[in-house]
Amino acid sequence: MQMSYPVYLRDVTSAQDKSVQRSGPSVDTKGISKHVLEVDCGVDCSEVTLEDLARAVAARTGVPISNQKLIHKGQTLKDLEQTLSSCGVKEGAKLMLVGSQNNAGEEEMQHKLEELEGGVEKLSLRLSDIRQELDGIENGFLEESLKPSALSKLSRRVKGQMEQFVKLLEQVDSMELPEGRTNLRVKRKNVVRKIQLSLEKCDSIEHDLAVQREKLSSYSLTLPD
């Protein structure tokens, strides 16, 4: 099933214009483009979210979700996880979109940030593997004689992960973003936060590795000659 939503689009080249025009039956469409969007809602159209609509808007207009400001009956729709029905947006409802397309340079920066974010996520998965292996050692799933070698390998791996995270952080920090592009700055802030959280996890793993080495050393001292 599909639902239709007429969306009136203001001049998307005007990135600095923050004024709001309200939509409605008598909306003045002079200088405004109209798009009728078809949103696929599967079996249950009551579950269609604002994000579903925003993706359809982005595909039709070229305005990325982060640059969109969707307005319905004078109210700005902000929560992407909220269903359209809970927002009072019904099939055939008119919405106003205020937004701007990224230029070529901004698109490149957006793509670069997404690549870096993908790199962070891949490294985070590897870090989770290290955490699981260390949990196994802490829970006694490895023979005592094998622990020194295992702990040494995990230590090298986590140090390697930390180096990779720091390199990613340096790349993000070195990006010079244009003034007034809040979406890019928010994206960079989110990527930086993910890296910082991952580095904190690395520190936690290193601490736990040190604890395990200390326990192993104490255990060795208690063994009879």
Side-chain angles (χ1 to χ4, degrees):
M1 297 176 62
Q2 290 185 326
M3 301 180 72
S4 301
Y5 298 91
V7 176
Y8 294 93
L9 173 64
R10 296 195 59 195
D11 180 11
V12 297
T13 62
S14 179
Q16 301 302 319
D17 190 350
K18 303 298 183 182
S19 62
V20 173
Q21 292 190 13
R22 296 189 177 187
S23 58
S26 60
V27 65
D28 179 7
T29 58
K30 182 179 179 181
I32 300 176
S33 302
K34 177 182 177 181
H35 301 269
V36 179
L37 304 177
E38 298 288 343
V39 181
D40 189 357
C41 56
V43 177
D44 188 0
C45 289
S46 66
E47 295 301 316
V48 177
T49 64
L50 178 57
E51 183 174 8
D52 294 326
L53 179 60
R55 291 185 186 280
V57 170
R60 177 66 65 86
T61 66
V63 179
I65 294 177
S66 56
N67 288 7
Q68 293 179 20
K69 183 177 183 181
L70 286 168
I71 303 167
H72 178 242
K73 294 183 177 180
Q75 298 296 319
T76 300
L77 307 178
K78 298 180 180 180
D79 187 356
L80 292 177
E81 296 182 357
Q82 193 172 12
T83 62
L84 294 182
S85 58
S86 65
C87 297
V89 179
K90 301 178 181 179
E91 182 174 8
K94 295 180 180 179
L95 298 99
M96 177 71 74
L97 168 67
V98 181
S100 59
Q101 297 169 331
N102 289 334
N103 60 38
E106 291 166 351
E107 285 288 353
E108 184 177 349
M109 289 182 181
Q110 178 77 18
H111 182 65
K112 179 63 175 178
L113 285 169
E114 289 173 353
E115 281 188 342
L116 291 170
E117 185 175 35
V120 174
E121 291 173 353
K122 288 181 180 178
L123 288 174
S124 296
L125 289 175
R126 296 175 190 170
L127 194 61
S128 295
D129 290 339
I130 295 174
R131 177 81 263 180
Q132 289 180 359
E133 291 182 38
L134 179 55
D135 288 344
I137 294 174
E138 291 175 334
N139 292 325
F141 297 148
L142 190 67
E143 294 180 14
E144 292 296 325
S145 62
L146 300 177
K147 285 185 177 181
S149 176
L151 292 173
S152 179
K153 289 179 180 178
L154 288 179
S155 181
R156 289 195 298 270
R157 285 168 60 189
V158 75
K159 281 180 168 50
Q161 293 292 103
M162 292 182 72
E163 291 175 1
Q164 292 299 315
F165 281 124
V166 170
K167 287 180 180 179
L168 288 174
L169 185 59
E170 290 173 348
Q171 290 183 61
V172 175
D173 286 340
S174 67
M175 294 181 68
E176 295 184 5
L177 304 182
E179 293 292 333
R181 306 309 289 173
T182 305
N183 62 307
L184 292 176
R185 296 184 181 279
V186 169
K187 183 69 171 178
R188 180 169 66 178
K189 183 178 180 180
N190 289 338
V191 174
V192 168
R193 182 56 181 157
K194 287 182 178 181
I195 295 174
Q196 291 173 336
L197 288 173
S198 295
L199 286 171
E200 289 174 7
K201 291 180 181 179
C202 287
D203 289 338
S204 175
I205 291 174
E206 283 204 315
H207 172 268
D208 292 346
L209 283 169
V211 170
Q212 286 300 309
R213 286 193 293 267
E214 181 64 26
K215 287 182 177 179
L216 191 62
S217 177
S218 299
Y219 174 78
S220 299
L221 291 175
T222 62
L223 292 177
D225 294 335

